[in-house]
Amino acid sequence: MTNGKGQALMNTAKLRSKRVIVTSAAVAALAVGGGVWATAANAGTDVTGADRDRVGNAAVQAVGGGTVVDVESSDDPGEAYEVEVRKADGSEVDVVLDKDLKVLSQQAETPDTDGAAEPALTDVQRGDAEKAVLAAFPGGTVLDVEAGDDQGVAYEAEVRDAAGKEWDVDLDAAFTVLTKTEDD
């Protein structure tokens, strides 16, 4: 073999080596990115069962009473849980807790500022809407009921079915279920 051929073979070997290194780096980058994506996808998930009860009770105590509307894990550093509590007067408070259930912050939810005040529901309206929603989702848990803001929709509700999936439910003025849409 001549020196020219040897040089050509050496260049081919270098190119193959570079392809392996670049390919390996790309696979490593995808693996790291996939891990970050998986972590982000799991953040903010609902807390269920005994954990939901334990975390919810801590938040209710912190605000001086009320009903737990939602409990989620937090993806913010130092925070473990985000809890929404509805007080007896209908106002809602967001409570952030650490892993030891120490209250990190409490913030009253501010009403919508689009200029239109959301009509308050009476206890009877809320109760009738909840009954209709639970008839559509036996064994479910009503998370929220409010006045509807779409034409023909008198009430909007959120419900967690017996399998743990959340649904948005629209009702008419006679408490008839109009639509059931699985919440993403």
Side-chain angles (χ1 to χ4, degrees):
M1 284 192 195
T2 64
N3 196 10
K5 275 189 170 179
Q7 185 68 24
L9 289 174
M10 190 169 85
N11 286 340
T12 302
K14 282 183 181 179
L15 285 174
R16 285 186 184 147
S17 173
K18 286 181 182 179
R19 282 186 204 150
V20 170
I21 292 171
V22 169
T23 303
S24 298
V27 169
L30 286 172
V32 170
V36 170
W37 178 84
T39 301
N42 289 330
T45 58
D46 284 339
V47 178
T48 59
D51 286 339
R52 183 184 196 281
D53 295 340
R54 181 177 59 86
V55 172
N57 287 335
V60 167
Q61 281 184 319
V63 300
T67 304
V68 175
V69 175
D70 192 29
V71 179
E72 293 181 348
S73 61
S74 176
D75 57 345
D76 293 333
E79 298 178 1
Y81 305 102
E82 297 172 0
V83 183
E84 186 176 336
V85 177
R86 181 178 299 117
K87 297 178 80 170
D89 66 1
S91 64
E92 294 185 358
V93 180
D94 292 326
V95 181
V96 177
L97 304 164
D98 68 9
K99 65 181 177 65
D100 298 319
L101 304 184
K102 178 183 170 210
V103 176
L104 300 175
S105 68
Q106 292 183 40
Q107 183 172 347
E109 287 190 8
T110 56
D112 292 336
T113 57
D114 62 1
E118 190 174 301
L121 299 182
T122 66
D123 290 339
V124 171
Q125 289 172 318
R126 186 176 304 282
D128 288 347
E130 288 178 359
K131 286 179 193 171
V133 170
L134 291 176
F137 292 92
T141 303
V142 176
L143 304 174
D144 190 28
V145 177
E146 57 189 40
D149 54 4
D150 293 331
Q151 187 168 356
V153 177
Y155 307 98
E156 297 174 354
E158 293 179 39
V159 62
R160 182 176 297 118
D161 68 16
K165 293 180 183 176
E166 289 192 19
W167 296 80
D168 294 324
V169 182
D170 292 339
L171 304 155
D172 67 11
F175 303 100
T176 302
V177 174
L178 301 171
T179 62
K180 299 184 280 188
T181 308
E182 187 173 359
D183 205 1
D184 294 335

PDB file of all heavy atoms in Angstrom, residues 61-81:
ATOM      1  N   GLN A  61     -57.468  23.671  57.487  1.00  0.00           N
ATOM      2  CA  GLN A  61     -57.122  24.207  58.807  1.00  0.00           C
ATOM      3  C   GLN A  61     -56.421  25.555  58.683  1.00  0.00           C
ATOM      4  O   GLN A  61     -56.665  26.474  59.452  1.00  0.00           O
ATOM      5  CB  GLN A  61     -56.230  23.239  59.572  1.00  0.00           C
ATOM      6  CG  GLN A  61     -56.983  22.088  60.193  1.00  0.00           C
ATOM      7  CD  GLN A  61     -56.059  21.223  61.027  1.00  0.00           C
ATOM      8  OE1 GLN A  61     -54.924  20.949  60.639  1.00  0.00           O
ATOM      9  NE2 GLN A  61     -56.554  20.795  62.179  1.00  0.00           N
ATOM     10  N   ALA A  62     -55.550  25.670  57.705  1.00  0.00           N
ATOM     11  CA  ALA A  62     -54.770  26.904  57.526  1.00  0.00           C
ATOM     12  C   ALA A  62     -55.656  28.105  57.203  1.00  0.00           C
ATOM     13  O   ALA A  62     -55.363  29.219  57.611  1.00  0.00           O
ATOM     14  CB  ALA A  62     -53.727  26.725  56.425  1.00  0.00           C
ATOM     15  N   VAL A  63     -56.761  27.882  56.468  1.00  0.00           N
ATOM     16  CA  VAL A  63     -57.637  29.001  56.089  1.00  0.00           C
ATOM     17  C   VAL A  63     -58.823  29.157  57.030  1.00  0.00           C
ATOM     18  O   VAL A  63     -59.662  30.015  56.820  1.00  0.00           O
ATOM     19  CB  VAL A  63     -58.116  28.893  54.624  1.00  0.00           C
ATOM     20  CG1 VAL A  63     -56.945  28.889  53.669  1.00  0.00           C
ATOM     21  CG2 VAL A  63     -59.007  27.693  54.421  1.00  0.00           C
ATOM     22  N   GLY A  64     -58.905  28.314  58.064  1.00  0.00           N
ATOM     23  CA  GLY A  64     -59.976  28.446  59.046  1.00  0.00           C
ATOM     24  C   GLY A  64     -61.279  27.794  58.648  1.00  0.00           C
ATOM     25  O   GLY A  64     -62.350  28.206  59.083  1.00  0.00           O
ATOM     26  N   GLY A  65     -61.219  26.759  57.835  1.00  0.00           N
ATOM     27  CA  GLY A  65     -62.422  26.015  57.462  1.00  0.00           C
ATOM     28  C   GLY A  65     -62.747  26.159  55.996  1.00  0.00           C
ATOM     29  O   GLY A  65     -62.302  27.093  55.332  1.00  0.00           O
ATOM     30  N   GLY A  66     -63.549  25.224  55.506  1.00  0.00           N
ATOM     31  CA  GLY A  66     -63.961  25.247  54.112  1.00  0.00           C
ATOM     32  C   GLY A  66     -63.990  23.866  53.517  1.00  0.00           C
ATOM     33  O   GLY A  66     -63.907  22.857  54.235  1.00  0.00           O
ATOM     34  N   THR A  67     -64.093  23.804  52.210  1.00  0.00           N
ATOM     35  CA  THR A  67     -64.168  22.547  51.470  1.00  0.00           C
ATOM     36  C   THR A  67     -63.039  22.500  50.452  1.00  0.00           C
ATOM     37  O   THR A  67     -62.809  23.482  49.735  1.00  0.00           O
ATOM     38  CB  THR A  67     -65.514  22.447  50.716  1.00  0.00           C
ATOM     39  OG1 THR A  67     -66.570  22.588  51.654  1.00  0.00           O
ATOM     40  CG2 THR A  67     -65.647  21.127  49.997  1.00  0.00           C
ATOM     41  N   VAL A  68     -62.373  21.372  50.377  1.00  0.00           N
ATOM     42  CA  VAL A  68     -61.290  21.201  49.408  1.00  0.00           C
ATOM     43  C   VAL A  68     -61.897  21.055  48.013  1.00  0.00           C
ATOM     44  O   VAL A  68     -62.762  20.213  47.788  1.00  0.00           O
ATOM     45  CB  VAL A  68     -60.435  19.963  49.749  1.00  0.00           C
ATOM     46  CG1 VAL A  68     -59.397  19.710  48.670  1.00  0.00           C
ATOM     47  CG2 VAL A  68     -59.790  20.130  51.103  1.00  0.00           C
ATOM     48  N   VAL A  69     -61.439  21.892  47.088  1.00  0.00           N
ATOM     49  CA  VAL A  69     -61.897  21.836  45.709  1.00  0.00           C
ATOM     50  C   VAL A  69     -60.927  21.021  44.872  1.00  0.00           C
ATOM     51  O   VAL A  69     -61.332  20.195  44.068  1.00  0.00           O
ATOM     52  CB  VAL A  69     -62.052  23.264  45.118  1.00  0.00           C
ATOM     53  CG1 VAL A  69     -62.403  23.212  43.642  1.00  0.00           C
ATOM     54  CG2 VAL A  69     -63.097  24.044  45.896  1.00  0.00           C
ATOM     55  N   ASP A  70     -59.623  21.235  45.076  1.00  0.00           N
ATOM     56  CA  ASP A  70     -58.624  20.550  44.259  1.00  0.00           C
ATOM     57  C   ASP A  70     -57.311  20.464  45.015  1.00  0.00           C
ATOM     58  O   ASP A  70     -56.946  21.393  45.745  1.00  0.00           O
ATOM     59  CB  ASP A  70     -58.421  21.318  42.950  1.00  0.00           C
ATOM     60  CG  ASP A  70     -57.634  20.538  41.912  1.00  0.00           C
ATOM     61  OD1 ASP A  70     -57.703  19.294  41.911  1.00  0.00           O
ATOM     62  OD2 ASP A  70     -56.957  21.169  41.082  1.00  0.00           O
ATOM     63  N   VAL A  71     -56.609  19.338  44.851  1.00  0.00           N
ATOM     64  CA  VAL A  71     -55.281  19.148  45.433  1.00  0.00           C
ATOM     65  C   VAL A  71     -54.371  18.639  44.317  1.00  0.00           C
ATOM     66  O   VAL A  71     -54.673  17.627  43.693  1.00  0.00           O
ATOM     67  CB  VAL A  71     -55.292  18.126  46.591  1.00  0.00           C
ATOM     68  CG1 VAL A  71     -53.886  17.931  47.144  1.00  0.00           C
ATOM     69  CG2 VAL A  71     -56.258  18.537  47.686  1.00  0.00           C
ATOM     70  N   GLU A  72     -53.287  19.363  44.072  1.00  0.00           N
ATOM     71  CA  GLU A  72     -52.337  18.964  43.033  1.00  0.00           C
ATOM     72  C   GLU A  72     -50.925  18.986  43.599  1.00  0.00           C
ATOM     73  O   GLU A  72     -50.636  19.749  44.518  1.00  0.00           O
ATOM     74  CB  GLU A  72     -52.390  19.929  41.844  1.00  0.00           C
ATOM     75  CG  GLU A  72     -53.675  19.899  41.075  1.00  0.00           C
ATOM     76  CD  GLU A  72     -53.670  20.847  39.883  1.00  0.00           C
ATOM     77  OE1 GLU A  72     -52.759  21.695  39.786  1.00  0.00           O
ATOM     78  OE2 GLU A  72     -54.579  20.738  39.054  1.00  0.00           O
ATOM     79  N   SER A  73     -50.065  18.164  43.015  1.00  0.00           N
ATOM     80  CA  SER A  73     -48.651  18.258  43.360  1.00  0.00           C
ATOM     81  C   SER A  73     -48.100  19.497  42.659  1.00  0.00           C
ATOM     82  O   SER A  73     -48.598  19.902  41.617  1.00  0.00           O
ATOM     83  CB  SER A  73     -47.897  17.005  42.921  1.00  0.00           C
ATOM     84  OG  SER A  73     -47.984  16.840  41.528  1.00  0.00           O
ATOM     85  N   SER A  74     -47.095  20.107  43.271  1.00  0.00           N
ATOM     86  CA  SER A  74     -46.505  21.327  42.711  1.00  0.00           C
ATOM     87  C   SER A  74     -45.179  20.992  42.042  1.00  0.00           C
ATOM     88  O   SER A  74     -44.435  20.139  42.510  1.00  0.00           O
ATOM     89  CB  SER A  74     -46.276  22.361  43.811  1.00  0.00           C
ATOM     90  OG  SER A  74     -45.628  23.493  43.282  1.00  0.00           O
ATOM     91  N   ASP A  75     -44.888  21.710  40.965  1.00  0.00           N
ATOM     92  CA  ASP A  75     -43.609  21.522  40.284  1.00  0.00           C
ATOM     93  C   ASP A  75     -42.653  22.669  40.570  1.00  0.00           C
ATOM     94  O   ASP A  75     -41.565  22.725  40.022  1.00  0.00           O
ATOM     95  CB  ASP A  75     -43.811  21.371  38.777  1.00  0.00           C
ATOM     96  CG  ASP A  75     -44.537  22.554  38.153  1.00  0.00           C
ATOM     97  OD1 ASP A  75     -45.132  23.356  38.902  1.00  0.00           O
ATOM     98  OD2 ASP A  75     -44.531  22.676  36.919  1.00  0.00           O
ATOM     99  N   ASP A  76     -43.051  23.573  41.478  1.00  0.00           N
ATOM    100  CA  ASP A  76     -42.185  24.696  41.833  1.00  0.00           C
ATOM    101  C   ASP A  76     -41.198  24.278  42.923  1.00  0.00           C
ATOM    102  O   ASP A  76     -41.572  23.537  43.844  1.00  0.00           O
ATOM    103  CB  ASP A  76     -43.013  25.886  42.306  1.00  0.00           C
ATOM    104  CG  ASP A  76     -43.854  26.483  41.187  1.00  0.00           C
ATOM    105  OD1 ASP A  76     -43.445  26.345  40.009  1.00  0.00           O
ATOM    106  OD2 ASP A  76     -44.910  27.065  41.472  1.00  0.00           O
ATOM    107  N   PRO A  77     -39.966  24.747  42.866  1.00  0.00           N
ATOM    108  CA  PRO A  77     -38.954  24.372  43.861  1.00  0.00           C
ATOM    109  C   PRO A  77     -39.405  24.723  45.283  1.00  0.00           C
ATOM    110  O   PRO A  77     -39.910  25.815  45.531  1.00  0.00           O
ATOM    111  CB  PRO A  77     -37.729  25.197  43.466  1.00  0.00           C
ATOM    112  CG  PRO A  77     -37.949  25.567  42.036  1.00  0.00           C
ATOM    113  CD  PRO A  77     -39.434  25.650  41.844  1.00  0.00           C
ATOM    114  N   GLY A  78     -39.239  23.773  46.201  1.00  0.00           N
ATOM    115  CA  GLY A  78     -39.574  23.981  47.603  1.00  0.00           C
ATOM    116  C   GLY A  78     -41.039  23.763  47.923  1.00  0.00           C
ATOM    117  O   GLY A  78     -41.427  23.694  49.077  1.00  0.00           O
ATOM    118  N   GLU A  79     -41.879  23.673  46.900  1.00  0.00           N
ATOM    119  CA  GLU A  79     -43.306  23.452  47.094  1.00  0.00           C
ATOM    120  C   GLU A  79     -43.633  21.992  46.793  1.00  0.00           C
ATOM    121  O   GLU A  79     -43.058  21.402  45.895  1.00  0.00           O
ATOM    122  CB  GLU A  79     -44.130  24.341  46.162  1.00  0.00           C
ATOM    123  CG  GLU A  79     -43.933  25.820  46.391  1.00  0.00           C
ATOM    124  CD  GLU A  79     -44.727  26.676  45.407  1.00  0.00           C
ATOM    125  OE1 GLU A  79     -45.457  26.125  44.555  1.00  0.00           O
ATOM    126  OE2 GLU A  79     -44.609  27.902  45.492  1.00  0.00           O
ATOM    127  N   ALA A  80     -44.589  21.438  47.561  1.00  0.00           N
ATOM    128  CA  ALA A  80     -45.000  20.062  47.309  1.00  0.00           C
ATOM    129  C   ALA A  80     -46.441  19.989  46.813  1.00  0.00           C
ATOM    130  O   ALA A  80     -46.768  19.156  45.975  1.00  0.00           O
ATOM    131  CB  ALA A  80     -44.836  19.219  48.570  1.00  0.00           C
ATOM    132  N   TYR A  81     -47.315  20.871  47.349  1.00  0.00           N
ATOM    133  CA  TYR A  81     -48.736  20.781  47.028  1.00  0.00           C
ATOM    134  C   TYR A  81     -49.354  22.159  46.811  1.00  0.00           C
ATOM    135  O   TYR A  81     -48.959  23.132  47.446  1.00  0.00           O
ATOM    136  CB  TYR A  81     -49.503  20.106  48.177  1.00  0.00           C
ATOM    137  CG  TYR A  81     -48.962  18.758  48.546  1.00  0.00           C
ATOM    138  CD1 TYR A  81     -48.162  18.593  49.667  1.00  0.00           C
ATOM    139  CD2 TYR A  81     -49.249  17.635  47.773  1.00  0.00           C
ATOM    140  CE1 TYR A  81     -47.660  17.348  50.012  1.00  0.00           C
ATOM    141  CE2 TYR A  81     -48.750  16.392  48.115  1.00  0.00           C
ATOM    142  CZ  TYR A  81     -47.955  16.256  49.235  1.00  0.00           C
ATOM    143  OH  TYR A  81     -47.462  15.024  49.567  1.00  0.00           O
TER     144      TYR A  81
END
